[in-house]
Amino acid sequence: MKLHHLSLLLALPALACAAKAPNPPPPMPPFGLGIHGGAGVILRNEMTPGLEAQYRAKLAEALAAGYAVLDRGGPALDAVTAAINLLEDSPLFNAGKGAVLNADGICELDASIMNGRTLAAGAIAGVHHIKNPINLARDVMEKSAHVMLTGDGAEIFAQSLGYEMLPNEYFQTEFRRQQLEQARAAEKKPGRKTAALGRFLSSADVSALEHFVREQKYGTVGCVALDRQGNLAAGTSTGGMTNKKFGRVGDAPIIGAGTYASNATCAVSATGWGEFFIRASVAHDISAQMEYLGRSVREAAATTIAKVGKLGGDGGVIALDAKGNIAMEFNSPGMYRAAKISGLPETVAIYGDEARH
Ligand code: ASP
């Protein structure tokens, strides 16, 4: 072989390398989560700096716990339970410890969870002794043949799985006792019978009772998560509404109302006046708009919350799509909320004039 042929042969691998530019790393699929700690009349001038700092810190802590699960490649469902467990254990929110009191003066807890990959779902309503109701909802989904268990039956199921039964006093706080007293006093006021469900009321014409009801219903907690595998999940946990009677159940444990998740569309967790959120099928309504009308998650969430408002209800949702777009939409003055999507700055917000995505 002539020398110039040999040198050409030797140079070939180098030439090949030079011609083939190094492959850019494949784009990282987005992952992340959003959480809420309830919507309602949350106003700057009624909040002390100390309390506000506590809320923001707990939201940030729960967000970080859920994000850590996703960051290390864990499933969206685990991120949902990790974030919600921290909020359930905090007396600041109306879920787990610190839940509102029902008319009998005890805490009665509801929760639900949904897997967006399989459309499996689990829910519990009206339990009195379960420290972390979201975990039991998940066990209903994964370890029972059912979607929803209530009251004593749900707790018998929990006991069969080895759950500890806590005394109801564990959940009760002095703050919630005072709220119950206020609700009982407001209930005795004239005008009770005219409290209009199903009619839109401007803030100017709400009666004292209605104002009270609106003020009370915040603190429900929820989480929507998207994992590195592209799977969505959603969960919601609550004590419901102060002074609730007759085994009242709100939207939080109802799949399609308070919680919904489908990889094809989005994951949703709601908070607000449950009677309206059930009637508007809030969580599924958002998913359905995306599925059937091709709407974006933000457009769909805003449309559904506007619909709730027209019915006379108030509250909000967090909704996350499979591309990592998040909506935090509400028609109440505020909503405790936070979100962290990979590659984007973190949001922790409370008031209506702060970020909604
Ligand atoms: N949606 C809950 C319920 O009606 C209450 C809340 O979100 O604060 O039970």
Side-chain angles (χ1 to χ4, degrees), residues 36-39 94 100 110 216-221 236-241 244 248-253 258 270-278 314-316:
H36 70 76
N94 172 18
V100 298
D110 307 329
Q216 296 309 305
K217 33 169 221 325
Y218 47 76
T220 288
V221 308
T236 311
S237 181
T238 189
M241 291 175 79
K244 64 185 182 181
R248 179 265 185 195
V249 175
D251 60 313
T271 172
W273 195 337
E275 279 66 13
F276 294 94
F277 278 63
I278 294 172
D314 61 348

Coordinates of all heavy atoms in Angstrom, one line a residue, residues 36-39 94 100 110 216-221 236-241 244 248-253 258 270-278 314-316, ligand 1:
H36 N -52.1 22.4 46.5 CA -52.9 23.5 47.0 C -53.2 23.2 48.5 O -53.2 22.0 48.9 CB -54.2 23.7 46.2 CG -55.2 22.6 46.3 ND1 -56.0 22.5 47.4 CD2 -55.6 21.7 45.5 CE1 -56.8 21.5 47.3 NE2 -56.6 20.9 46.1
G37 N -53.5 24.2 49.2 CA -53.9 24.1 50.6 C -55.2 24.7 50.9 O -55.5 25.2 52.0
G38 N -56.1 24.8 49.8 CA -57.4 25.3 50.0 C -57.6 26.7 49.4 O -56.6 27.5 49.3
A39 N -58.8 27.0 49.0 CA -59.2 28.3 48.5 C -60.2 28.9 49.4 O -60.9 28.2 50.1 CB -59.7 28.1 47.1
N94 N -56.9 22.1 56.5 CA -58.2 21.4 56.7 C -58.1 20.0 56.1 O -58.8 19.6 55.2 CB -59.4 22.2 56.2 CG -60.7 21.4 56.3 OD1 -60.8 20.4 57.0 ND2 -61.6 21.8 55.5
V100 N -61.4 20.6 59.9 CA -62.5 21.3 60.5 C -63.4 20.3 61.3 O -63.3 19.1 61.1 CB -63.4 22.0 59.5 CG1 -62.6 23.0 58.7 CG2 -64.0 21.0 58.5
D110 N -62.3 13.0 54.5 CA -62.5 12.4 53.1 C -61.2 12.5 52.3 O -60.5 13.5 52.5 CB -63.5 13.2 52.4 CG -64.8 13.4 53.1 OD1 -65.2 12.5 53.9 OD2 -65.5 14.5 52.9
Q216 N -65.2 29.9 55.6 CA -64.7 28.8 56.3 C -64.1 27.7 55.4 O -63.4 26.8 55.8 CB -65.8 28.1 57.0 CG -66.4 29.0 58.1 CD -65.3 29.5 59.0 OE1 -64.5 28.7 59.6 NE2 -65.2 30.8 59.2
K217 N -64.5 27.7 54.1 CA -64.1 26.5 53.3 C -62.8 26.7 52.6 O -62.7 26.6 51.4 CB -65.2 26.1 52.4 CG -66.0 27.2 51.8 CD -66.9 26.7 50.7 CE -66.8 27.7 49.6 NZ -66.8 29.1 50.1
Y218 N -61.8 26.8 53.4 CA -60.4 26.7 52.8 C -59.6 25.8 53.7 O -59.9 25.6 54.9 CB -59.8 28.0 52.5 CG -59.8 29.0 53.6 CD1 -59.0 28.9 54.7 CD2 -60.6 30.1 53.6 CE1 -59.0 29.8 55.7 CE2 -60.6 31.1 54.6 CZ -59.8 30.9 55.7 OH -59.8 31.8 56.6
G219 N -58.6 25.2 53.1 CA -57.7 24.4 53.9 C -57.6 23.0 53.4 O -56.7 22.2 53.8
T220 N -58.6 22.6 52.5 CA -58.4 21.3 51.9 C -57.1 21.2 51.2 O -56.6 22.2 50.7 CB -59.6 21.1 50.8 OG1 -60.8 21.0 51.5 CG2 -59.3 20.0 49.9
V221 N -56.5 20.0 51.1 CA -55.2 20.0 50.5 C -55.2 19.0 49.2 O -56.1 18.1 49.2 CB -54.1 19.5 51.4 CG1 -54.1 20.3 52.7 CG2 -54.2 18.0 51.8
T236 N -56.5 14.4 46.7 CA -57.1 15.4 47.5 C -57.5 14.9 48.8 O -57.9 13.7 48.9 CB -58.4 15.9 46.8 OG1 -58.1 16.2 45.4 CG2 -59.0 17.2 47.4
S237 N -57.3 15.7 49.9 CA -57.7 15.2 51.3 C -58.3 16.4 52.0 O -57.8 17.5 51.9 CB -56.4 14.7 51.9 OG -56.6 14.3 53.2
T238 N -59.3 16.1 52.8 CA -60.0 17.2 53.5 C -60.8 16.8 54.7 O -61.1 15.6 54.8 CB -61.1 17.9 52.5 OG1 -61.6 19.1 53.1 CG2 -62.2 16.9 52.2
G239 N -61.1 17.7 55.5 CA -62.1 17.5 56.6 C -63.5 18.0 56.2 O -64.4 17.9 57.0
G240 N -63.6 18.5 55.0 CA -64.9 19.0 54.5 C -65.2 20.3 55.0 O -64.4 21.2 55.0
M241 N -66.5 20.6 55.4 CA -66.9 21.9 55.8 C -67.3 21.9 57.3 O -67.9 21.0 57.8 CB -68.1 22.4 54.9 CG -67.6 22.7 53.5 SD -68.9 23.1 52.4 CE -69.2 24.8 52.8
K244 N -70.6 20.5 59.3 CA -71.3 19.6 58.4 C -72.1 18.6 59.2 O -71.8 18.1 60.2 CB -70.4 18.9 57.4 CG -69.4 18.0 58.0 CD -68.4 17.5 56.9 CE -67.4 16.5 57.6 NZ -66.4 16.0 56.6
R248 N -72.6 14.4 55.7 CA -72.3 15.2 54.4 C -71.0 14.8 53.9 O -70.0 14.8 54.6 CB -72.4 16.7 54.8 CG -72.2 17.6 53.6 CD -70.7 18.1 53.5 NE -70.5 19.1 52.5 CZ -69.3 19.4 52.0 NH1 -68.2 18.9 52.5 NH2 -69.2 20.3 51.1
V249 N -70.9 14.7 52.6 CA -69.7 14.4 51.9 C -69.6 15.4 50.7 O -70.5 15.7 50.0 CB -69.6 13.0 51.3 CG1 -68.4 12.8 50.5 CG2 -69.7 11.9 52.4
G250 N -68.4 16.1 50.6 CA -68.2 17.1 49.5 C -67.6 16.4 48.3 O -67.7 15.2 48.1
D251 N -66.9 17.3 47.5 CA -66.4 16.8 46.2 C -65.0 16.1 46.4 O -64.7 15.3 45.5 CB -66.2 18.0 45.3 CG -65.2 19.1 45.9 OD1 -65.4 19.4 47.1 OD2 -64.3 19.5 45.3
A252 N -64.3 16.4 47.5 CA -62.9 15.9 47.6 C -62.8 14.4 47.3 O -61.8 14.0 46.6 CB -62.3 16.3 48.9
P253 N -63.6 13.6 47.9 CA -63.4 12.1 47.7 C -64.1 11.6 46.4 O -64.1 10.4 46.2 CB -64.0 11.5 48.9 CG -65.1 12.4 49.3 CD -64.7 13.8 48.9
G258 N -63.7 16.2 42.8 CA -62.6 16.8 43.4 C -61.3 16.4 42.9 O -60.2 17.1 43.1
A270 N -59.2 19.7 43.3 CA -60.1 20.9 43.5 C -60.2 21.2 45.0 O -60.0 20.4 45.8 CB -61.5 20.6 42.9
T271 N -60.6 22.4 45.2 CA -60.9 22.9 46.6 C -62.0 24.0 46.5 O -61.9 24.8 45.6 CB -59.7 23.4 47.3 OG1 -60.2 24.0 48.6 CG2 -58.9 24.4 46.6
G272 N -63.0 23.9 47.3 CA -64.0 25.0 47.3 C -65.3 24.4 47.8 O -65.3 23.4 48.6
W273 N -66.3 25.1 47.5 CA -67.7 24.8 48.1 C -68.1 23.5 47.4 O -68.6 23.5 46.2 CB -68.6 25.9 47.8 CG -69.9 25.9 48.6 CD1 -70.5 24.8 49.2 CD2 -70.7 27.0 49.0 NE1 -71.6 25.1 49.8 CE2 -71.8 26.5 49.7 CE3 -70.6 28.3 48.7 CZ2 -72.8 27.3 50.2 CZ3 -71.7 29.2 49.2 CH2 -72.7 28.6 50.0
G274 N -68.0 22.4 48.0 CA -68.1 21.1 47.4 C -69.4 20.8 46.7 O -69.5 20.1 45.7
E275 N -70.5 21.3 47.3 CA -71.8 21.1 46.7 C -71.8 21.6 45.2 O -72.4 21.0 44.3 CB -72.9 21.8 47.5 CG -73.4 21.1 48.7 CD -72.3 20.9 49.8 OE1 -71.3 21.6 49.7 OE2 -72.5 20.1 50.7
F276 N -71.1 22.7 44.9 CA -71.1 23.2 43.6 C -70.1 22.4 42.7 O -70.3 22.2 41.5 CB -70.7 24.7 43.6 CG -71.8 25.5 44.2 CD1 -71.7 25.9 45.6 CD2 -72.8 26.0 43.5 CE1 -72.7 26.6 46.2 CE2 -73.8 26.7 44.1 CZ -73.8 27.1 45.4
F277 N -69.0 22.0 43.3 CA -68.0 21.3 42.6 C -68.5 19.9 42.2 O -68.1 19.4 41.1 CB -66.7 21.2 43.4 CG -65.8 22.5 43.3 CD1 -66.3 23.7 43.8 CD2 -64.6 22.4 42.7 CE1 -65.6 24.8 43.7 CE2 -63.8 23.6 42.6 CZ -64.3 24.8 43.1
I278 N -69.3 19.3 43.0 CA -69.9 18.0 42.6 C -70.8 18.2 41.4 O -70.8 17.5 40.4 CB -70.7 17.4 43.7 CG1 -69.8 17.0 44.9 CG2 -71.5 16.2 43.3 CD1 -70.5 16.6 46.2
D314 N -67.8 28.9 44.8 CA -66.4 29.4 44.7 C -65.4 28.4 45.2 O -65.7 27.5 45.9 CB -66.3 30.8 45.5 CG -66.6 30.6 46.9 OD1 -67.1 29.5 47.3 OD2 -66.3 31.5 47.7
G315 N -64.2 28.7 44.7 CA -63.1 27.8 45.0 C -62.1 27.8 43.9 O -62.0 28.7 43.1
G316 N -61.3 26.7 43.8 CA -60.3 26.7 42.8 C -59.8 25.3 42.5 O -60.2 24.3 43.1
Ligands
ASP1 N1 -64.2 21.0 48.8 C1 -64.2 20.7 50.2 C2 -65.6 20.2 50.6 O1 -66.6 20.7 50.1 C3 -63.9 21.8 51.1 C4 -62.7 22.6 50.7 O2 -62.2 22.5 49.6 O3 -62.2 23.4 51.5 O4 -65.7 19.3 51.4

